[in-house]
Amino acid sequence: MTLYLVIPCYNEEAVLPETSRRLAEKLTALTAAGKISADSRVLFVDDGSKDRTWALISECHRADRRFGGVKLSRNRGHQNALLAGLMTAKERCDAAISLDADLQDDLDAIDRMVDAFHEGYDIVYGVRSSRETDTFFKRTTAQGFYKFMKLMGVDIVYNHADFRLMSRRALEGLSGYEEVNLFLRGIVPLIGYPSTTVEYERHERFAGESKYPLKKMLAFAFDGITSFSVKPIRWVTGLGFLIFLASILALLYILVVKLLGFTVAGWAATTASIWMLGGLQLLCLGIIGEYVGKIYTEVKARPRYFIEALELTPEEPEETAENQAE
């Protein structure tokens, strides 16, 4: 089988030399064991980095033809960069494995993913066996995210990020999803081909800084929820119905009190109810607005990325770098 390792990169100058060395060793070992063919490759995707990431990718390509690179015209985000790499690899491989450049994903798990592919699985998810290396805050918020996504009805693999193997058939299926608001962790399970999981221990980041601070993690989680579930909208509807019932009961109470002559000033209750209802209305409008915004970006159907440059081996089909967008 021809295997492609697809690695999105954004300002990964600090880790790329070590990452490329370890990936080269892994390709050599898998090829020697007869698990993959000598045509297997590592494909780095430069997501508009501002450091020497692309220069290092080009150096890797010149030094070892098993390394290739895709340079996006500007920063488009991790999910778009990953999709660009997978779609570039789709016609050149039997299976592709996506992983991060920071060496936190266990490279030894690749062997078990390849074994599962040979057993007939089209999708193999890398699942963390524990979160002992995470801080208490990150562990709690991450677990809460997966549980909340399940509550929202999103079919998502627990403790799985974007470390996964996909066969060519699965990649073809992925190419059929054309939404602009990408959340691959939710899209891939929808493809539906035979799948399994491989557990692994996630390591500490080798060097550099995380590209997913809290603000980006929260935005990513919210994008995932609003891209795959309409339950928040239904909750808004339910909340509005409950408030409507409460207002009818309050109206009946006011009429009864008025008829019995027990009138009260009621300034505090009136003020509190106005603030509460005003806050709820703004919250509901915000949730609805988020969905309207998603519709707005989807309807425009702008290209998800443009490829500025390719570094591929001469044996592979050459493509022009202009107007390559999904």
Side-chain angles (χ1 to χ4, degrees):
M1 65 169 288
T2 299
L3 176 70
Y4 266 59
L5 303 178
V6 179
I7 302 100
C9 304
Y10 179 66
N11 293 342
E12 297 291 2
E13 177 183 0
V15 301
L16 271 180
E18 181 64 17
T19 300
S20 58
R21 183 187 68 81
R22 295 191 191 182
L23 291 175
E25 292 177 352
K26 177 54 65 176
L27 281 185
T28 300
L30 289 171
T31 304
K35 293 184 177 183
I36 62 175
S37 72
D39 294 327
S40 299
R41 300 283 186 265
V42 175
L43 187 64
F44 291 114
V45 183
D46 180 15
D47 185 22
S49 298
K50 298 177 181 178
D51 60 4
R52 296 186 64 253
T53 294
W54 180 247
L56 292 175
I57 292 173
S58 297
E59 290 175 10
C60 286
H61 174 67
R62 289 192 294 269
D64 188 339
R65 308 305 277 179
R66 294 178 299 176
F67 287 90
V70 176
K71 179 177 174 59
L72 302 189
S73 60
R74 69 180 186 90
N75 179 254
R76 293 296 299 154
H78 178 272
Q79 297 292 279
N80 283 305
L82 178 53
L83 182 70
L86 292 174
M87 293 301 99
T88 301
K90 177 168 62 75
E91 301 299 330
R92 301 173 169 87
C93 68
D94 296 309
I97 294 179
S98 56
L99 65 158
D100 293 337
D102 54 17
L103 296 175
Q104 288 189 281
D105 296 323
D106 184 10
L107 298 186
D108 290 335
I110 293 176
D111 301 64
R112 286 174 282 148
M113 288 182 171
V114 172
D115 290 339
F117 171 80
H118 287 301
E119 291 171 6
Y121 292 100
D122 286 276
I123 304 172
V124 185
Y125 300 100
V127 175
R128 296 182 63 171
S129 57
S130 69
R131 287 187 172 269
E132 295 178 358
T133 58
D134 290 348
T135 62
F136 173 78
F137 177 78
K138 185 172 183 180
R139 180 168 59 251
T140 304
T141 53
Q143 291 174 342
F145 164 72
Y146 288 107
K147 292 177 181 178
F148 189 67
M149 292 293 283
K150 284 288 187 181
L151 179 64
M152 291 290 99
V154 181
D155 185 13
I156 188 171
V157 179
Y158 188 73
N159 270 344
H160 164 70
D162 286 301
F163 184 29
R164 72 178 75 86
L165 177 146
M166 297 181 70
S167 68
R168 179 185 291 187
R169 182 169 68 157
L171 291 173
E172 289 286 354
L174 177 62
S175 67
Y177 290 85
E178 299 179 352
E179 52 249 57
V180 176
N181 300 288
L182 280 178
F183 185 67
L184 294 177
R185 301 181 199 183
I187 292 177
V188 173
L190 297 178
I191 297 174
Y193 292 128
S195 63
T196 187
T197 60
V198 166
E199 291 191 349
Y200 71 99
E201 290 284 344
R202 192 165 172 83
H203 306 306
E204 294 287 346
R205 185 179 177 86
F206 175 75
E209 298 179 353
S210 172
K211 304 306 183 295
Y212 264 90
L214 178 61
K215 182 179 178 180
K216 280 192 175 182
M217 289 177 64
L218 292 176
F220 182 66
F222 197 64
D223 282 343
I225 293 168
T226 53
S227 295
F228 281 86
S229 176
V230 296
K231 280 193 176 181
I233 291 286
R234 292 174 180 169
W235 287 359
V236 167
T237 304
L239 181 62
F241 181 71
L242 290 176
I243 293 176
F244 175 70
L245 291 180
S247 66
I248 292 177
L249 294 175
L251 178 61
L252 293 175
Y253 171 75
I254 291 170
L255 291 174
V256 171
V257 170
K258 182 69 175 176
L259 291 174
L260 294 177
F262 300 111
T263 55
V264 183
W267 178 85
T270 302
T271 304
S273 62
I274 290 174
W275 279 97
M276 182 188 71
L277 289 175
L280 284 174
Q281 287 172 345
L282 289 175
L283 174 64
C284 295
L285 285 174
I287 293 174
I288 295 171
E290 182 66 24
Y291 280 92
V292 172
K294 286 286 192 297
I295 295 170
Y296 176 66
T297 55
E298 291 293 341
V299 168
K300 287 190 295 184
R302 290 179 176 174
R304 289 174 289 192
Y305 57 84
F306 285 97
I307 296 177
E308 179 180 334
L310 292 172
E311 290 280 8
L312 298 172
T313 57
E315 296 79 21
E316 295 172 318
E318 294 190 7
E319 299 180 5
T320 61
E322 298 180 299
N323 299 324
Q324 293 187 38
E326 290 293 325

